[in-house]
């Protein structure tokens, strides 16, 4: 009985920390297309889409313009921000590709550390991938890119809670 209670207590702590760890993970400085810094405080109360893509990826080249169009239509009314996390192999290619995007990005020097941890929130092993995070830092949909195409008006493309993994 004691082992069961201990296990349940540890499980509760782990689940509680997951939300905090997402917030901690997102607590860095991003940049927009003009080079302006954007902090987590600037994103307060917003839905966040973590967008993983790269300039060399054919599927990303196809999906990015669709996501840009959807973002431009929804981001102000729905209080939505997208953070781009590149999977490019070098910074010049990432910089060039980012010019096509209206949102913010994780700085290049954080891709291998914070970016790699962010990618673990998605349930895909390939790109493009879009993970939706709620304003209270919970994963709403670990892989929303297909939903944004199939159900563009169903923002924020949440999974039912019972389908989400903790």
């Amino acid at each position: 009985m004691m082992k069961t209670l201990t296990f349940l207590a540890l499980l509760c702590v782990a689940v509680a920390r997951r939300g905090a760890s997402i917030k901690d993970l997102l607590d860095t400085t991003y940049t927009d297309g003009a080079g302006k810094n954007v902090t987590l405080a600037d994103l307060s109360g917003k839905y966040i889409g973590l967008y993983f893509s790269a300039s060399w990826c054919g599927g990303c080249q196809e999906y990015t313009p669709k996501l840009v169009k959807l973002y431009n239509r929804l981001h102000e009314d729905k209080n939505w921000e997208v953070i781009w996390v590149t999977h490019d192999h070098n910074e010049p290619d990432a910089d060039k590709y980012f010019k096509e995007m209206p949102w913010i990005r994780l700085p290049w020097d954080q891709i291998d550390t914070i970016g790699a941890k962010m990618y673990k929130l998605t349930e895909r092993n390939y790109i493009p991938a879009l993970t939706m995070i709620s304003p209270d830092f919970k994963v709403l949909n670990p892989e929303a890119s297909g939903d944004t195409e199939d159900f563009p008006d169903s923002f924020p493309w949440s999974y039912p809670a019972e389908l989400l993994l903790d």
Side-chain angles (χ1 to χ4, degrees):
M1 177 77 167
M2 187 60 155
K3 285 183 182 181
T4 302
L5 290 175
T6 302
F7 173 76
L8 289 174
L10 290 172
L11 183 61
C12 289
V13 169
V15 169
R17 283 187 179 165
R18 174 142 182 148
S21 68
I22 292 172
K23 183 177 181 180
D24 292 344
L25 184 61
L26 295 174
D27 194 8
T28 190
T29 301
Y30 306 93
T31 55
D32 66 12
K36 178 183 161 206
N37 287 339
V38 178
T39 66
L40 186 60
D42 298 319
L43 303 176
S44 179
K46 293 187 178 194
Y47 289 92
I48 297 170
L50 298 176
Y51 179 45
F52 306 92
S53 69
S55 63
W56 52 261
C57 166
C60 301
Q61 290 290 337
E62 185 178 316
Y63 180 68
T64 297
K66 295 175 187 177
L67 186 59
V68 167
K69 185 176 178 181
L70 185 64
Y71 173 86
N72 286 337
R73 182 168 64 91
L74 296 177
H75 84 276
E76 287 184 19
D77 291 341
K78 301 296 185 179
N79 211 19
W80 179 35
E81 187 56 70
V82 172
I83 300 169
W84 182 51
V85 182
T86 186
H87 274 60
D88 275 297
H89 301 300
N90 62 65
E91 190 172 6
D93 287 347
D95 291 345
K96 183 178 176 186
Y97 189 42
F98 183 62
K99 291 178 183 175
E100 301 174 20
M101 302 174 198
W103 42 70
I104 62 177
R105 72 188 283 188
L106 184 68
W108 177 259
D109 64 354
Q110 296 179 32
I111 295 302
D112 290 336
T113 53
I114 295 171
K117 291 176 185 174
M118 287 177 172
Y119 189 64
K120 290 179 181 180
L121 297 174
T122 188
E123 290 184 357
R124 276 196 168 176
N125 292 321
Y126 53 91
I127 54 174
L130 177 69
T131 299
M132 288 298 297
I133 310 291
S134 70
D136 60 347
F137 305 104
K138 293 183 177 25
V139 174
L140 294 174
N141 187 337
E143 185 18 59
S145 58
D147 294 332
T148 64
E149 291 187 282
D150 295 340
F151 311 103
D153 295 323
S154 295
F155 182 89
W157 309 288
S158 301
Y159 275 9
E162 61 271 10
L163 295 179
L164 291 172
L165 301 174
D166 284 325

